[in-house]
Amino acid sequence: MLENKVAVITGGTRGIGLETVKVFKENKANVILFGSRKETVDQSIQKLKKENIEVDGFYPDLMNEEEIAKVIEKIINKYGHIDILVNNAGISANKKIEDTTTEEFTKIMDLNVKAMFNTIKTVTPYMKKNKGGVILNTSSMVSIYGQPSGVGYPTSKFAVNGLTKSLARELAPFNIRVNAVAPGITNTDMVAKLPKEMIEPLIKTIPLGRIGEPRDIANAFLFLGSDMANYITGVILSVDGAARS
Ligand code: NAD
């Protein structure tokens, strides 16, 4: 489904991002993964190599436009174009508002929103030059109704939806589609960190009776990234077993 496409996936070293790397490779894309540190990027590349999966990897500071620009230029020099950008890097929060520091709130907004703005801003001119592209953002189920603690996280994901819908309109004339996937609770390290008391009652509310697997989310990225979704833009696709209410 992605033959000859070049895809950059942020937060590609584990969880949903790593699974998206695998699914994109199974579908013949050239994939470049981004992670936060050299060690984790190197480890992921080595692990993938053992499964006969070849990818390039970088670890630009996603808060630093210049660093991102340098890495994107390297990718363009090697591959000539970027067809798909998956903005998946993200962190969560679960503290009550009185216990949340301004720094913690800012940190989550910086990675979940500002970093996304930075990568999109850098890649868009190349997509425009190439007469098209696909930008996919990771939102969350909590971008619809919020969550009972950790207010920075849903706040950031509401912003992701706003950014997605607005840029879909702005970039449509350039044949650049912008969509988001809103996962429900998904079986990754991010969820393993959350307290059991928070997860178990939530599972009971999921009509499909289970939490999501990273592949459930990666498959949604695959569809939206492929030409099968050529007339879909500005959509926030819930992949949550109908848990969103
Ligand atoms: P994860 O913690 O397993 O992976 C997060 C990824 O983000 C890692 O690859 C990590 O390298 C990257 N990352 C973290 N901090 C970074 C930083 N400062 N700079 C660059 N990269 C950084 O998480 P996951 O569950 O796979 O989450 C991936 C995305 O899915 C996130 O945007 C998250 O908000 C979203 N999401 C997850 C769930 C869930 O239940 N797991 C639900 C809804 C949405």
Side-chain angles (χ1 to χ4, degrees):
M1 281 169 79
L2 300 180
E3 201 158 9
N4 300 323
K5 307 268 190 205
V6 178
V8 171
I9 302 175
T10 76
T13 56
R14 52 175 203 259
I16 291 169
L18 181 62
E19 198 63 22
T20 305
V21 169
K22 291 183 183 177
V23 167
F24 276 28
K25 286 296 295 184
E26 284 165 22
N27 284 273
K28 305 236 163 72
N30 292 300
V31 176
I32 301 96
L33 67 79
F34 284 6
S36 52
R37 289 181 294 125
K38 181 179 188 320
E39 302 82 69
T40 50
V41 168
D42 287 348
Q43 270 168 20
S44 308
I45 291 176
Q46 289 314 319
K47 256 198 226 157
L48 288 165
K49 225 177 223 161
K50 284 191 186 137
E51 298 174 40
N52 289 321
I53 301 170
E54 292 281 339
V55 298
D56 286 335
F58 296 96
Y59 41 92
D61 175 358
L62 296 179
M63 245 51 77
N64 184 328
E65 269 189 69
E66 269 176 37
E67 265 190 43
I68 298 171
K70 275 190 199 146
V71 168
I72 294 296
E73 212 179 298
K74 272 191 201 164
I75 295 168
I76 294 289
N77 286 341
K78 176 165 177 184
Y79 294 97
H81 51 101
I82 293 171
D83 303 288
I84 306 169
L85 168 66
V86 183
N87 284 305
N88 168 75
I91 46 173
S92 65
N94 63 4
K95 286 187 190 169
K96 302 232 166 296
I97 188 156
E98 310 92 288
D99 302 329
T100 305
T101 63
T102 310
E103 289 72 28
E104 284 166 337
F105 184 81
T106 305
K107 189 176 168 198
I108 206 162
M109 293 300 286
D110 276 354
L111 182 65
N112 293 7
V113 186
K114 205 199 273 180
M116 201 174 266
F117 166 82
N118 286 341
T119 53
I120 295 173
K121 188 178 165 190
T122 311
V123 168
T124 294
Y126 294 105
M127 287 186 169
K128 282 186 176 173
K129 209 168 152 194
N130 202 36
K131 302 207 168 4
V134 183
I135 296 166
L136 299 171
N137 301 324
T138 310
S139 180
S140 166
M141 169 178 84
V142 304
S143 74
I144 300 166
Y145 292 100
Q147 66 182 25
S149 62
V151 71
Y153 185 62
T155 303
S156 71
K157 295 300 188 180
F158 271 77
V160 169
N161 293 1
L163 189 136
T164 301
K165 290 187 180 207
S166 299
L167 287 178
R169 287 169 176 262
E170 180 176 333
L171 300 177
F174 303 95
N175 191 33
I176 300 171
R177 298 189 290 106
V178 189
N179 291 299
V181 172
I185 310 170
T186 309
N187 193 9
T188 68
D189 290 355
M190 183 179 271
V191 164
K193 273 186 219 143
L194 298 174
K196 252 191 175 172
E197 310 85 71
M198 194 169 168
I199 301 301
E200 277 173 359
L202 283 174
I203 292 179
K204 292 199 181 112
T205 68
I206 304 173
L208 279 182
R210 65 171 177 90
I211 66 170
E213 291 302 323
R215 187 146 287 229
D216 294 320
I217 315 305
N219 283 337
F221 281 131
L222 169 64
F223 167 66
L224 289 172
S226 78
D227 293 342
M228 301 268 286
N230 265 349
Y231 199 52
I232 301 177
T233 193
V235 155
I236 315 298
L237 177 61
S238 292
V239 183
D240 60 5
R244 53 202 163 273
S245 57

